[in-house]
Amino acid sequence: MILFEKIRWKNFLSTGNQYTEINFTKDNTTLIVGTNGTGKSTVLDALTFSLFGKPFRKINKPQLINTVNEKDCKVEVEFVVNATEWKVVRGIRPNIFEIWKDGKVLDQFSHSADQQKWLEQNVVKMNYKSFTQIVILGSSTFVPFMQLTGNNRREVIEDLLDIKIFSSMNSIIKEKIRSTREDIKVLSLKKESLTDKIKMQKEFIDEIESRGNENIEDKKRKSRDLGEEVCVLILENEHTEEEVGELTEEQQKVTGATEKLRTLGGLRGKISQKVATITKEHKFFTDNVTCPTCTQPIEEEFRINKVEDAQNKAKELQSGYKELEEAIKNEEERERHFTQLSKEITQLTHGISKNNTKIAGCQRQIRDLESEIQRITDQLANRNTEHETLTTFQDNLKTTYDDLSSKKDTISYYDFSYSLLKDGGVKSKIIKKYLPLINQHVNRYLQMMDFYINFTLDEEFNETVQSPIHEDFSYASFSEGEKMRIDLALLFTWREVARMKNSVNTNLLIMDEVFDSSLDGMGTDEFLKIIKYVITDANIFVISHKNGMEDRFDSVLKFDKVKGFSSIVET
């Protein structure tokens, strides 16, 4: 049970810098009065703001701070839960959110939303909707139970019956189902992978055992063929090298022809020049008997001797020139032979190079084949290791099958639990069990308020109304006064159920202007009898500006405005 003890606030709405404090446990029934705008409903906003961070009425959070002081807005509420003293402090400018336990402030969460969630789930054990259905009945922004949506109605009932744990468990189960499905997906992929590996490993072992020796023999045969080809190429190179040697020896014999031709060519040029000189001299002495230059006669004997001497020299030079021509011809032949031998030697050498390239390629292939032969030989020698690898894959596959089966069993359990924890499962059975009790109490309180109808809620919290004078009626069909009676009956019923379950049971009940608009005189009298003589285990606060009721309450708190600030004044 939550025992609310006191609340105080300052710089909150129209309240000034001095704390306004209300002791919740002082009297059983308290009337809060005051004219409009004096701040008598501020207690509602202060209470919900301190516990849930938002006011009861539709007021934006920045508007909660006093517009005159504009700072140091603070609300503190103190209560006891199972002998543990709690205090919640909230403030604006500066922002404050503190939770105190037995006089010590608790460490704050990194995010205020997380801290608020913790407060609602672990301390107050109510959210805003449930709190305003059980503790507060207002006339302005309050949404009665029957005007809530189906989901919100269920949320309130789950709080009352303390079965929200099933919703939390359902969320946990849902997450576990998601996680387990992911595990199943991973295991399924692993199973497929291991199946492929086992198939490939078996094929690999079969390849080793059935084709290993055949591959070795085939590669040895290829290696021998390449070796024979290398031998043939080597023999070809040896034969070609012998030919090159012979041609080189023959080439040595004709080496130097080019130099000799150069020398003989020079001699031929000199002889040709000599012949030209002698021919000119012979022609001069043959054609001239007088010197053309000095016009003196040339002696005949001298002239004849010169002619004969020129003829003799010409004969000698002609004979030597023929010998020189013959020598040049011989050297030219030697030079042509040298060139031919050079071409043949070059061709043979090129052939040797091509063969060497082939020999290198064959030797490289032989080495690769020998390496492959050694690898296959090692595989044959180590095929037990491959069998061990296969066994490992098979063991892993078996383990994976077992894990997959276990996960599938687990998810079937989760699915079953999930179906139980859904709204139509265990929660529905629990709600169904309490529905007769709820309907009984609602109708009992309606009769106490002289409203004789049979009002029942079904499992979906839809109402059915039976009355001799009301046919096919629903909550929306009633007048505002009749609706108020139903709202009060539901409020009292929720408190009764909470007291029985000890889930969200609390001493506090605050009602705002329930007399002022909807309830007529008779309804007011019946209502006051209920809160006076039936609801005896609560501290009830009624906010009203209706006159003449002060003597029907244990105490009266009057709010007034003094110099623009709201405060409690002595009565």
Side-chain angles (χ1 to χ4, degrees):
M1 177 177 179
I2 304 176
L3 179 63
F4 286 97
E5 294 184 332
K6 67 174 64 174
I7 187 171
R8 63 178 192 156
W9 64 88
K10 67 175 182 177
N11 292 316
F12 185 79
L13 293 174
S14 60
T15 307
N17 199 34
Q18 301 298 318
Y19 276 108
T20 297
E21 183 173 312
I22 294 179
N23 186 338
F24 288 132
T25 60
K26 181 181 177 183
D27 296 293
N28 289 335
T29 60
T30 302
L31 177 65
I32 299 177
V33 296
T35 57
N36 289 334
T38 56
K40 57 183 181 297
S41 297
T42 303
V43 63
L44 302 175
D45 298 310
L47 184 59
T48 57
F49 175 70
S50 62
L51 293 175
F52 303 103
K54 56 183 177 180
F56 179 73
R57 293 174 292 180
K58 291 182 180 180
I59 304 173
N60 294 328
K61 186 176 179 180
Q63 295 176 325
L64 293 177
I65 190 169
N66 183 275
T67 56
V68 177
N69 297 326
E70 294 185 342
K71 64 178 181 178
D72 198 23
C73 173
K74 186 180 292 187
V75 180
E76 300 177 5
V77 61
E78 298 180 18
F79 54 95
V80 177
V81 180
N82 298 329
T84 301
E85 295 182 357
W86 296 91
K87 181 169 74 170
V88 179
V89 181
R90 287 191 199 259
I92 306 174
R93 295 184 186 175
N95 288 327
I96 302 171
F97 182 18
E98 297 175 347
I99 302 174
W100 293 68
K101 179 180 180 182
D102 291 331
K104 294 182 180 179
V105 65
L106 301 181
D107 293 336
Q108 294 189 346
F109 288 67
S110 58
H111 297 289
S112 59
D114 294 334
Q115 184 159 303
Q116 180 63 39
K117 185 177 180 181
W118 183 87
L119 174 65
E120 293 180 13
Q121 293 181 349
N122 297 278
V123 182
V124 183
K125 295 185 179 179
M126 282 185 285
N127 59 25
Y128 178 83
K129 290 188 183 70
S130 300
F131 185 83
T132 54
Q133 292 294 321
I134 298 168
V135 178
I136 298 175
L137 179 62
S139 62
S140 56
T141 61
F142 168 73
V143 180
F145 179 84
M146 294 308 302
Q147 296 181 29
L148 293 175
T149 63
N151 287 335
N152 288 337
R153 292 183 188 182
R154 175 172 289 276
E155 189 175 352
V156 171
I157 297 300
E158 287 182 4
D159 267 344
L160 281 171
L161 300 180
D162 198 19
I163 57 175
K164 288 195 72 174
I165 183 64
F166 293 119
S167 297
S168 300
M169 291 170 63
N170 198 22
S171 298
I172 294 172
I173 289 292
K174 190 174 181 180
E175 176 59 26
K176 287 184 177 293
I177 289 174
R178 187 199 63 78
S179 176
T180 305
R181 291 193 190 280
E182 288 294 326
D183 291 342
I184 289 175
K185 185 177 180 181
V186 171
L187 287 171
S188 298
L189 292 174
K190 185 178 180 181
K191 180 195 71 174
E192 294 175 4
S193 175
L194 286 170
T195 302
D196 292 340
K197 286 182 178 179
I198 288 172
K199 180 181 177 182
M200 293 173 63
Q201 187 68 11
K202 286 181 177 179
E203 292 175 352
F204 181 59
I205 292 173
D206 290 341
E207 179 75 16
I208 291 174
E209 293 180 346
S210 64
R211 300 184 183 180
N213 292 324
E214 182 182 340
N215 285 341
I216 289 175
E217 290 301 320
D218 181 61
K219 295 182 188 308
K220 284 183 177 180
R221 179 183 57 76
K222 291 181 180 178
S223 181
R224 285 195 300 271
D225 292 344
L226 289 170
E228 290 175 0
E229 185 177 352
V230 168
C231 290
V232 170
L233 291 172
I234 291 174
L235 288 174
E236 286 183 4
N237 279 355
E238 289 178 353
H239 177 70
T240 304
E241 286 174 355
E242 289 178 0
E243 289 185 21
V244 170
E246 292 174 359
L247 291 173
T248 302
E249 289 179 2
E250 187 177 349
Q251 190 183 44
Q252 290 295 328
K253 294 176 183 179
V254 293
T255 300
T258 302
E259 293 295 328
K260 201 167 183 179
L261 276 173
R262 192 179 295 113
T263 303
L264 292 175
L267 289 174
R268 184 168 59 180
K270 290 180 181 180
I271 291 174
S272 297
Q273 188 176 3
K274 190 83 171 178
V275 168
T277 302
I278 292 172
T279 300
K280 184 178 180 181
E281 184 178 349
H282 178 270
K283 185 176 186 317
F284 179 80
F285 285 107
T286 301
D287 295 341
N288 294 298
V289 291
T290 302
C291 178
T293 303
C294 62
T295 66
Q296 290 183 359
I298 300 173
E299 293 181 6
E300 185 64 21
E301 184 177 358
F302 177 77
R303 189 181 66 79
I304 292 172
N305 288 336
K306 283 290 185 180
V307 171
E308 290 179 352
D309 185 47
Q311 289 176 347
N312 291 332
K313 285 182 179 180
K315 289 178 180 179
E316 291 176 0
L317 288 172
Q318 188 176 9
S319 176
Y321 189 80
K322 287 181 179 180
E323 294 177 358
L324 181 61
E325 288 289 337
E326 186 66 26
I328 288 173
K329 185 176 179 182
N330 291 335
E331 292 303 322
E332 286 177 346
E333 181 63 29
R334 290 178 70 235
E335 186 179 39
R336 282 195 298 273
H337 190 44
F338 179 87
T339 302
Q340 181 63 31
L341 290 172
S342 296
K343 289 181 179 179
E344 293 179 8
I345 290 171
T346 299
Q347 289 179 347
L348 292 173
T349 303
H350 182 64
I352 291 171
S353 296
K354 288 176 66 177
N355 285 346
N356 285 336
T357 301
K358 291 180 180 179
I359 289 169
C362 290
Q363 290 175 339
R364 183 171 59 254
Q365 292 182 58
I366 290 170
R367 288 193 300 270
D368 292 342
L369 288 168
E370 289 175 347
S371 176
E372 190 68 16
I373 289 169
Q374 184 61 46
R375 185 185 66 79
I376 297 173
T377 302
D378 292 340
Q379 287 178 347
L380 286 171
N382 298 325
R383 58 183 176 273
N384 289 336
T385 303
E386 302 300 333
H387 279 291
E388 291 174 0
T389 302
L390 177 61
T391 302
T392 300
F393 287 156
Q394 290 172 335
D395 291 342
N396 288 341
L397 181 60
K398 182 179 181 303
T399 301
T400 302
Y401 268 115
D402 292 341
D403 292 343
L404 194 56
S405 177
S406 175
K407 291 291 184 182
K408 288 182 178 179
D409 289 342
T410 300
I411 204 166
S412 66
Y413 298 145
Y414 285 160
D415 285 337
F416 178 71
S417 301
Y418 182 67
S419 65
L420 289 178
L421 294 171
K422 289 194 299 185
D423 288 345
V426 174
K427 291 190 293 184
S428 179
K429 293 184 179 298
I430 295 174
I431 292 171
K432 187 175 182 181
K433 178 182 177 182
Y434 277 91
L435 272 178
L437 178 66
I438 291 172
N439 290 327
Q440 179 184 347
H441 280 285
V442 170
N443 286 289
R444 182 168 69 91
Y445 284 116
L446 286 174
Q447 290 173 13
M448 289 182 182
M449 290 183 284
D450 289 333
F451 193 24
Y452 296 98
I453 62 172
N454 185 16
F455 184 92
T456 58
L457 296 173
D458 61 18
E459 296 175 27
E460 300 299 325
F461 311 109
N462 297 315
E463 77 276 16
T464 300
V465 178
Q466 295 179 351
S467 170
I469 60 174
H470 296 99
E471 293 184 3
D472 298 326
F473 253 51
S474 65
Y475 174 84
S477 304
F478 289 108
S479 67
E480 293 304 315
E482 292 170 328
K483 288 180 181 178
M484 177 60 74
R485 285 175 169 81
I486 296 174
D487 294 339
L488 288 170
L490 288 169
L491 174 65
F492 296 147
T493 299
W494 301 151
R495 294 182 61 83
E496 186 69 19
V497 173
R499 184 185 63 81
M500 294 173 59
K501 288 292 295 180
N502 198 29
S503 53
V504 289
N505 190 17
T506 176
N507 66 307
L508 188 60
L509 176 59
I510 304 176
M511 288 171 282
D512 185 20
E513 298 184 358
V514 294
F515 307 128
D516 301 344
S517 58
S518 300
L519 287 182
D520 53 23
M522 183 178 294
T524 299
D525 291 338
E526 298 303 328
F527 170 74
L528 290 174
K529 290 178 183 178
I530 292 174
I531 65 173
K532 187 75 173 180
Y533 302 109
V534 179
I535 314 295
T536 58
D537 59 345
N539 299 106
I540 301 172
F541 288 77
V542 176
I543 301 171
S544 176
H545 56 260
K546 200 170 187 179
N547 297 321
M549 294 194 301
E550 288 82 353
D551 57 344
R552 306 181 72 172
F553 289 83
D554 296 334
S555 62
V556 177
L557 295 177
K558 183 177 180 180
F559 278 78
D560 199 359
K561 272 193 175 181
V562 179
K563 296 182 180 180
F565 294 109
S566 296
S567 62
I568 298 175
V569 297
E570 295 293 333
T571 58

